[in-house]
Every structure is written in structure tokens, then in C-alpha cells.
Amino acid sequence: MKRQDYLSWDEYFMGIAHLSARRSKDPSTQVGACIVSEENKILSVGYNGMPTGCSDDDMPWDREGDFLETKYPFVCHAELNAILNRSTGSLKNARIYVSLFPCNECAKAIIQSGIKEVIYGDDKYADTDGVRASKKMFNMAGVKLRRYENTNRLVKIEL
Ligand SMILES: Nc1nc(=O)n([C@H]2C[C@H](O)[C@@H](COP(=O)(O)O)O2)cc1CO
Ligand SMILES: [Zn+2]
């Protein structure tokens, strides 16, 4: 008889999003994303980080202060990185697993890339206008939104 405690597709892909987030250098919020085809094949992954060539050590990671002294104008979000990182194939009808609900800028990129479903973990910025704008666009564009249902499964990986 086959094993019974294998990971579900949702656990597997959300797990990969969380593992990817562990690559982030952001001291306050680490985000990971995993894009998957209709056939459950992984098309791309990403996490939030500075653009290629912009040194993690020289760029600011602060949240407050003079805008140009904060991370905000520079950091590339996990979802955008995942969209840009795919090496081949189209993202049409794909779905994206993301550990934090997408901002309005990523929402535009998600819609334009043809992704049809967003499975998200945390929604800690739900009360911001950015996330309200995201939800408005996703709803108008027919992108399905689904909150990831936590199964409370603990996966320990010794590295
Ligand atoms: N969906 C998202 N994907 C992301 O990759 N991010 C990134 C941008 C920043 O590096 C960090 C948020 O920083 P903070 O404001 O929570 O300290 O997470 C943020 C969001 C939230 O919209
Ligand atoms: Zn974003």
C-alpha cells in the first residue's frame, strides 16, 4: 500500500514558497513565491531581494526614514522575481503560491502574465490601499484568490 502521509500539492508548493523566502536578506519580511502549471509542474520560484548587480550589502534595508534610504524603492518583490525568473514557457493559466498577499504592482504583473489563481498565506497588509487595489484588479480580471489552508504539518529538513 502507498504511503499515506505524503505532502499534498498545496503543501508541497506552499512549502517551496516558504523555503524560497529563507533566501531573503530582508530583516523584517521574507516572502517566497512558486509558480505552477495546470499540470502541477513548477515553472518558477522567487523571493524578495535587491535587483541583480545591486549589492545586498550596499543597499539599505531600513523601513523608515528618507525614502531613498529605505529598501522600498529598490527591493524586487518575490512574485515579480518569480515571474521574471521563469526560463521557458508561458505562465498562461498558471497559479502562484505566495507566502504574503501580492501588492498592487505585483498584481498587475500577475494578471498580465496570464496567471489565473493566487494561493496566499499571510494577508498582514489587508488593511492597506495597495492590497485593496490588488483585490479590485484580481476580481475584475477573473483571477481566483484562495487563502492557503494551514494543515499545521511540520516539515523538518536537515541541511
Ligand atoms: N507581497 C509582497 N511580496 C514581497 O516580496 N514583499 C517584500 C517587499 C519588502 O522586501 C518586504 C516587505 O517589507 P515590510 O514593509 O513588511 O518591512 O516584502 C512585500 C509584499 C507585500 O505586498
Ligand atoms: Zn509586490
Side-chain angles (χ1 to χ4, degrees):
M1 203 175 81
K2 71 175 182 182
R3 282 178 59 228
Q4 295 301 308
D5 64 341
Y6 56 89
L7 297 179
S8 68
W9 286 122
D10 272 1
E11 287 175 323
Y12 178 43
F13 298 131
M14 193 51 104
I16 288 170
H18 281 286
L19 186 65
S20 304
R22 298 282 291 268
R23 282 278 309 151
S24 177
K25 318 301 180 305
D26 191 314
S28 58
T29 303
Q30 304 83 39
V31 186
C34 178
I35 304 177
V36 178
S37 75
E38 286 174 287
E39 299 83 32
N40 289 321
K41 291 178 183 169
I42 294 172
L43 300 174
S44 192
V45 290
Y47 57 87
N48 55 324
M50 291 300 165
T52 307
C54 302
S55 165
D56 293 331
D57 297 312
D58 299 338
M59 297 302 263
W61 289 104
D62 294 330
R63 308 181 77 221
E64 278 159 21
D66 181 352
F67 187 55
L68 288 178
E69 303 297 325
T70 71
K71 63 188 171 183
Y72 294 111
F74 308 110
V75 76
C76 199
H77 290 194
E79 305 91 313
L80 186 62
N81 271 331
I83 289 169
L84 298 173
N85 281 347
R86 87 168 189 280
S87 41
T88 52
S90 133
L91 300 184
K92 206 166 181 308
N93 297 324
R95 57 194 203 276
I96 186 167
Y97 289 80
V98 61
S99 57
L100 179 60
F101 196 91
C103 75
N104 59 307
E105 292 299 331
C106 290
K108 297 178 213 176
I110 288 169
I111 292 166
Q112 295 304 74
S113 71
I115 292 172
K116 281 287 174 288
E117 186 177 13
V118 175
I119 301 100
Y120 60 96
D122 200 358
D123 194 11
K124 66 177 178 175
Y125 294 128
D127 288 340
T128 65
D129 283 345
V131 168
R132 285 190 194 100
S134 292
K135 288 178 180 166
K136 178 182 172 123
M137 288 187 280
F138 284 139
N139 288 331
M140 288 183 89
V143 173
K144 194 177 157 195
L145 302 177
R146 174 159 65 87
R147 185 159 204 158
Y148 173 74
E149 265 184 55
N150 202 326
T151 59
N152 293 318
R153 193 202 291 268
L154 262 183
V155 178
K156 188 175 166 193
I157 307 173
E158 186 173 0
L159 299 169

